[in-house]
């Protein structure tokens, strides 16, 4: 089989909120791609050896001092280039055209682009026609606009507020579009990106679930050899897919360690053991470490410190279990691509650390075990797809994400056994209600957060002074951006009443309506 990574698209990130969507659309077209910050070195660009380059949008103005620029190595290469929004403006600015600040002519939201003349990227694509012109329904989000095209470029499309909405240099295979093809509001957006990577860049579309599995199995076998591998199995989607993938790759060389750390959801330990040990034939060792984790977390209130404590203890437990095995030299993790992106800072320091993920930022610097992370290149939807292909049951694959540190980062401040017990019960009521009302699969992630504060309440004629929990449910495609789910008011009222009536230590229930950004999905 051909190497799935030989043909690949470089997506340069200029700080746009939808950069991950660009990458997902490229992957959906069957082509591997990677996201890198705009300030990567020319050497890295040359070593990447891209089949094509996509320049993302971004919040800056290309004419402002110190604004992000396209690496010179990209402009010097022969591979096709597609500039999107800021990416188009950066191409114009650096290739000798003119970009002007036109706040009074900005475009945000739906727009219609009239397509003029021929272009390999747009021929035959239209949403409707006006006389002899093809028209596209697109999504715009820009303040500055292109006034003069660089030498060698032709005008291909215009909109009401963008006299240069599409430009192309057909001979050099360089294209610029002022709108965002990665969002669903641009009706032909997926077709445009697919045409760029498959037709213009001449990639073969090898990035398919079956090929991804075969490639991952081959790589794991080559990396691990005859060694044994330990997997920290949480029961979440990512670790479950890793378990199935590693079981396919190395069979009995895999031992899963399920750490019952006291920070799991209600009855989760028993469910995980039953699913994997009884139904899948995977070897699973259950380690009861609740007291050990809670003792280590006593007095720790900072979220990053909690993640480090939990991550270090996980590794200690894994290494203790590994020492009992003859040849266990590897630790497997369910790290996925958004974890890597969100935990990394750009080479210039312009990307700020939001939080360290358990899989990529909570591990000790010195470990005896070597890491194997077969999902590290995949987005969440890709993980779910290959999980189904590996034969995992839908109820497992479609389960909402659960953070590596578990309830440790859903209990604000210090973690106590009492808090964890209260939170488990409340969260179970919320999730069971979502399932019962057929709402669970309409949201991307839902959970409950414990707030270490007390609020006055009333039961009958008596006064209550007890804890507060917050319900959180979000809708998202890539988990990089998200909005609060608009759950029915009657549903939220039912859940709130059930929690307060069933759990005597809770006096008040709130609902978190914050979007990401500015908030994150998890509270810590």
């Amino acid at each position: 089989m051909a190497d799935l990574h030989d043909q690949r698209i470089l997506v340069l990130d200029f700080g746009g909120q939808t950069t991950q969507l660009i990458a997902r659309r490229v992957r959906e077209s069957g082509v591997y791609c990677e996201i890198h910050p705009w300030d990567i070195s020319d050497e890295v660009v040359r070593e990447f050896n891209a089949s094509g380059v996509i320049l993302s949008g971004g919040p800056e103005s290309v004419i402002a001092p110190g604004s992000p620029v396209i690496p010179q190595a990209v402009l010097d290469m022969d591979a096709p280039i597609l500039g999107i929004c800021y990416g188009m403006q950066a191409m114009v600015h650096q290739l000798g055209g003119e970009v002007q600040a036109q706040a009074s002519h900005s475009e945000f939201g739906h727009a219609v682009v009239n397509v003029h003349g021929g272009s390999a990227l747009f021929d035959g694509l239209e949403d409707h026609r006006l006389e002899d012109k093809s028209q596209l329904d697109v999504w715009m989000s820009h303040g500055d606009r292109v006034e003069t095209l660089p030498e060698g470029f032709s005008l291909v499309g215009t909109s009401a507020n963008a006299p240069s909405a599409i430009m192309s240099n057909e001979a050099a295979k360089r294209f610029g579009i002022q709108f965002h093809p990665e969002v669903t509001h641009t009706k032909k957006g997926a077709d445009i990106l697919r045409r760029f990577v498959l037709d213009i860049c001449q990639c073969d579309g090898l990035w398919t679930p079956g090929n991804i599995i075969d490639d991952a199995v081959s790589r794991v076998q080559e990396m691990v050899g005859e060694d044994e591998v330990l997997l920290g199995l949480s029961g979440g989607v990512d670790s479950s897919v890793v378990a199935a993938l590693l079981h396919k790759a190395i069979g009995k060389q895999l031992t899963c360690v399920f750490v019952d750390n006291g920070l799991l959801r209600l009855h989760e330990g028993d469910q995980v053991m039953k699913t994997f040990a009884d139904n899948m034939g995977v070897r699973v060792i259950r380690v009861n470490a609740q007291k050990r984790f809670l003792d280590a977390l006593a007095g720790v209130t900072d979220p990053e410190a909690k993640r480090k404590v939990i991550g270090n203890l996980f590794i200690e437990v894994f290494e203790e279990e590994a020492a009992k095995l003859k040849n266990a030299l590897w630790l497997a993790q369910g790290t996925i691509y958004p974890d890597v992106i969100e935990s990394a800072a750009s080479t210039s320091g312009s990307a700020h650390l939001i939080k360290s993920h358990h899989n990529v930022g909570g591990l000790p610097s010195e470990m005896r075990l070597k890491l194997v992370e077969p999902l590290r290149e995949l987005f969440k939807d890709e993980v779910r797809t290959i999980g189904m292909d590996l034969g995992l049951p839908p109820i497992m694959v479609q389960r909402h994400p659960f953070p590596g540190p578990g309830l440790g980062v859903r209990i604000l401040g210090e973690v106590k056994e009492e808090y964890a017990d209260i939170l488990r019960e409340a969260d179970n009521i919320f999730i069971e209600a979502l399932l019962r009302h057929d709402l669970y699969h309409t949201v991307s992630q839902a959970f409950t957060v414990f707030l270490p504060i007390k609020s006055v309440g009333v039961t009958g004629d008596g006064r209550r002074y007890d804890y507060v929990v917050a319900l959180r449910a979000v809708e998202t495609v890539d988990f990089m951006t998200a909005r609060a789910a608009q759950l029915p008011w009657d549903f939220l009222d039912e859940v709130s009443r059930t929690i307060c009536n069933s759990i005597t230590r809770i006096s008040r229930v709130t609902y978190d309506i914050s979007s990401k950004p500015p908030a994150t999905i998890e509270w810590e």
Side-chain angles (χ1 to χ4, degrees), residues 20-240:
Q20 289 76 30
L21 281 179
I22 297 172
R24 288 186 64 255
R25 297 289 181 262
V26 172
R27 299 277 188 94
E28 289 168 1
S29 299
V31 180
Y32 178 71
C33 67
E34 291 182 15
I35 299 172
H36 287 270
W38 63 268
D39 52 1
I40 59 172
S41 67
D42 285 346
E43 180 182 4
V44 172
V45 170
R46 288 189 287 267
E47 289 178 352
F48 191 85
N49 192 29
S51 303
V53 180
I54 299 178
L55 312 174
S56 83
E60 308 291 339
S61 170
V62 298
I63 56 180
S67 58
V69 297
I70 305 168
Q72 187 59 42
V74 170
L75 298 178
D76 292 342
M77 66 194 309
D78 293 330
I81 301 174
L82 172 62
I84 296 173
C85 197
Y86 182 95
M88 173 186 179
Q89 294 174 3
M91 287 177 64
V92 171
H93 186 62
Q94 291 178 238
L95 294 176
E98 181 185 5
V99 177
Q100 291 187 358
Q102 296 283 351
S104 61
H105 294 90
S106 60
E107 280 183 303
F108 296 96
H110 173 264
V112 175
V113 170
N114 295 301
V115 181
H116 309 276
S119 170
L121 190 58
F122 287 93
D123 284 347
L125 295 181
E126 63 180 28
D127 292 309
H128 35 80
R129 295 186 69 83
L130 178 63
E131 298 176 349
D132 61 338
K133 291 186 177 65
S134 297
Q135 293 186 317
L136 296 171
D137 290 315
V138 304
W139 190 260
M140 293 279 195
S141 181
H142 67 97
D144 295 355
R145 71 182 192 183
V146 174
E147 292 292 339
T148 306
L149 301 183
E151 184 178 352
F153 282 81
S154 299
L155 180 66
V156 177
T158 62
S159 70
N161 289 326
S164 301
I166 304 173
M167 68 177 190
S168 74
N169 183 329
E170 300 292 321
K173 297 183 179 179
R174 295 184 174 185
F175 307 86
I177 55 179
Q178 189 60 74
F179 58 89
H180 289 268
E182 68 273 21
V183 301
T184 55
H185 302 82
T186 298
K187 294 180 180 179
K188 291 292 190 294
D191 295 325
I192 294 168
L193 289 171
R194 188 179 304 113
R195 180 170 291 184
F196 178 73
V197 299
L198 296 181
D199 297 345
I200 306 297
C201 299
Q202 297 186 327
C203 295
D204 294 327
L206 300 176
W207 190 257
T208 63
N211 286 343
I212 293 171
I213 292 172
D214 291 343
D215 180 73
V217 166
S218 176
R219 287 172 180 267
V220 167
Q221 291 171 339
E222 181 180 356
M223 179 185 296
V224 170
E226 299 298 320
D227 299 339
E228 293 184 63
V229 178
L230 276 180
L231 166 64
L233 183 62
S234 70
V237 176
D238 302 332
S239 69
S240 298

Side-chain angles (χ1 to χ4, degrees), residues 278-339:
D278 296 351
N279 300 334
M280 296 184 63
V282 178
R283 184 187 179 198
V284 184
I285 298 172
R286 184 172 184 172
V287 180
N288 187 356
Q290 175 173 326
K291 185 177 186 304
R292 187 170 172 180
F293 275 80
L294 293 177
D295 287 349
L297 288 167
V300 181
T301 59
D302 179 74
E304 284 297 293
K306 288 195 292 185
R307 289 174 182 273
K308 293 291 191 288
V309 167
I310 294 169
N312 288 344
L313 266 182
F314 266 117
I315 299 304
E316 286 182 19
V317 173
F318 293 148
E319 293 193 333
E320 290 167 4
E321 294 301 321
K324 301 175 185 178
L325 301 174
K326 180 180 179 181
N327 198 27
L329 301 177
W330 297 85
L331 170 66
Q333 291 201 128
T335 306
I336 62 174
Y337 200 31
D339 295 341

